[in-house]
Structures are given as structure tokens and as C-alpha cells.
Amino acid sequence: MRQKFVQCLSPAGFHKMAYVEWGDPANSHVLVCVHGLTRCGRDFDYLAERLADRFRVVCPDVVGRGMSDWLRDPHHYTIPQYAQDMVALIARLDVERVDWLGTSMGGIIGMALAAQAGTPIARLILNDVGPLINAAALQRIGEYLASPPDFATPQEAEAYIRVIAAPFGKLTDAQWQHLTQHVIKAGPNGRFQLRYDPGIAVPYAEAARDGQDIDLWPVYDAIRCPTLVIRGAESDLLSPETVAAMRSRGPRAESVEIPAVGHAPMFLDDAQVAIVRDWLERESC
């Protein structure tokens, strides 16, 4: 694993986006893995290590999260900004095409890129996310993002992560520790904080005030690359009805449902990793 940074640009100035890279740096077969709303690229360590024999796996921390800089103006925490940052990352990787695995927010960024003419996205995997985001979800997200708690110890932080991330499924103690250690940091007051900018809540709060669902079906319908949608069987954010529609329109995605998991599968076991490997290898034939 190699820790790296790429310089990106927002309307308020430059910022650095962190990413980790696995596998042969000369390998032209690149898989970009992008995390969910408050998570980070280290969520994909287990998957990346196991796919590094076949792919150069690149896992960025979306700006405002993980080891990446925070934006000067929180109004720029938007999908167009994230997509622009990813274009800078792909240029840094010096490849013409990439495969994309996106969890939740990471999948929306992937859809935004894959829908563009001349897209560098060759194959797209959407992890527990679809083209419809309801207003109730937006409001709920905006409320909890804006006031993140802090913790006396890493163990207290882990207990919190275990509760809010319970839909990830049944994980081992070591897996919960891994999912905690990369999303917390020591604060100036000696307490531990979640490693994201509370400013990422600003666009969500503004969208929630409109009281309207976000409909990304026109974006999805413009996608032409092979697409796989993975759904946690207990997900409350991606419905079976939406998956059925995704199978019949746009890129006519294939779909897989993972039992005993909600939002979202984390690819921390071999069975979940095999879904990704097997589909990518089959689609390359």
C-alpha cells in the first residue's frame, strides 16, 4: 500500500486529496474504489489487498474526509466538485480507462462520471446506491452530519461506530477496529473526533429544506458502460423496486443481493470480494 496525494481545484482555491494505491504501479488495469458519505478510502483495504494481483487498486479519501484537506467554502461539497477531483486523480494515474466501485456517495460520483460523453469509466459497480434519493433521507443525513460527537477514548468511538454502522452486518472485533481507527483523530482537547468536516452537511441541509427527492434517473439513463448494482438485502436506502428499474433501463445493470446486510456491504469477507472479482473478470472476457 502506498499513501499519496493529488492536488485538486475548487472555486475557493487548491486542496489536496489523499489516496492509497495497491498493486503494481505500472498496471494499466485500474480499479478506483470510492467510499460513502462520512467514511474513507481505507474501508477498501481488505478488498484492495485481495485484488492487487489483478488490478492497480486506488482508494481516495473524498475531500473533507480522511486524510484529505477540508474545503474553504462548505457550499462546494457537491457531486460536481467531487467528480472534478476524481478527474484530476485519474489524470494523475496516467491511464485512459478505469473501473469504478462506489459505495453510496461514491456510487453517485461514479454515475456522474460514467454518464458523460467520452467517460474514462469502463465498468461501473454501484454498491447499495441508485438514482433516487428521497427527501426524508436527505433531512436525516443533514441533521446527523452537522453535529458529530467526540469521544474520550478510541474504544468509545468504536462503540459509537458499531451502533451507527450496524447495517454493515455481522463483523469481527478486528473489522470494527479497522473501520473505526481510520475515521477518527485526536482533537486539540485530548478527545477523539470523527475525521470529516462538519461542513459537508451544508449542501444536504439546503437540499432537505426544498423537501424534494433528488432524481438522478436522467444521469443513470445516460450510462452506457457495463454496470453492476449490489444491494444489501436489508438496505433501507436502495429498494428492490429501484433495483428492478435499474435492470430494465439505462445500462440495464446486472444485480446481486447480499443477505444479512443493510446499507452498505463493506467487502470485508471473501464472499463479498468474490462478487466484485468475478464480475470484473467476466466482463473483461
Side-chain angles (χ1 to χ4, degrees), residues 144-151 160 194 196-198:
Y144 86 77
L145 283 180
S147 303
D150 61 7
F151 313 95
Y160 172 80
L194 294 174
Y196 72 82
D197 181 359

Side-chain angles (χ1 to χ4, degrees), residues 229-241:
V229 57
I230 299 171
R231 179 178 183 267
E234 299 174 7
S235 176
D236 61 350
L237 293 180
L238 178 61
S239 71
E241 293 77 16

Side-chain angles (χ1 to χ4, degrees), residues 64-262:
R65 292 88 166 166
M67 301 295 290
S68 292
D69 287 345
W70 292 7
L71 293 177
R72 295 173 182 85
D73 184 345
H75 292 90
H76 298 151
Y77 286 121
T78 63
I79 296 302
Q81 179 64 58
Y82 302 151
Q84 181 174 299
D85 288 358
M86 296 304 164
V87 170
L89 173 63
I90 294 169
R92 164 64 62 85
L93 300 177
D94 195 24
V95 290
E96 297 298 322
R97 308 278 278 173
V98 301
D99 296 322
W100 189 281
L101 166 58
T103 295
S104 196
M105 177 188 71
I108 295 174
I109 300 168
M111 283 193 287
L113 290 172
Q116 302 303 313
T119 179
I121 308 298
R123 295 174 292 186
L124 176 65
I125 301 175
L126 301 173
N127 183 29
D128 212 65
V129 67
L132 186 65
I133 305 170
N134 65 63
L138 284 172
Q139 183 173 6
R140 183 174 67 250
I141 289 168
E143 288 173 354
Y144 86 77
L145 283 180
S147 303
D150 61 7
F151 313 95
T153 66
Q155 292 74 27
E156 189 177 302
E158 182 185 325
Y160 172 80
I161 295 294
R162 283 176 181 250
V163 171
I164 65 166
F168 290 174
K170 186 177 181 180
L171 304 178
T172 67
D173 289 346
Q175 289 168 339
W176 283 118
Q177 289 164 12
H178 177 81
L179 291 177
T180 301
Q181 65 180 327
H182 296 294
V183 295
I184 61 172
K185 63 179 180 180
N189 59 359
R191 294 178 64 82
F192 291 85
Q193 303 170 338
L194 294 174
R195 195 183 284 273
Y196 72 82
D197 181 359
I200 67 175
V202 170
Y204 284 89
E206 293 176 349
R209 280 198 294 270
D210 294 337
Q212 301 294 320
D213 295 344
I214 293 181
D215 184 341
L216 300 176
W217 282 113
V219 175
Y220 181 80
D221 287 340
I223 297 170
R224 294 293 177 264
C225 66
T227 301
L228 171 68
V229 57
I230 299 171
R231 179 178 183 267
E234 299 174 7
S235 176
D236 61 350
L237 293 180
L238 178 61
S239 71
E241 293 77 16
T242 297
V243 172
M246 294 170 75
R247 290 178 58 89
S248 65
R249 57 191 287 186
R252 293 181 172 81
E254 296 182 52
S255 66
V256 174
E257 189 167 88
I258 298 178
V261 177

Side-chain angles (χ1 to χ4, degrees), residues 12 27 38 53 108 205:
N27 189 350
T38 62
D53 62 325
I108 295 174

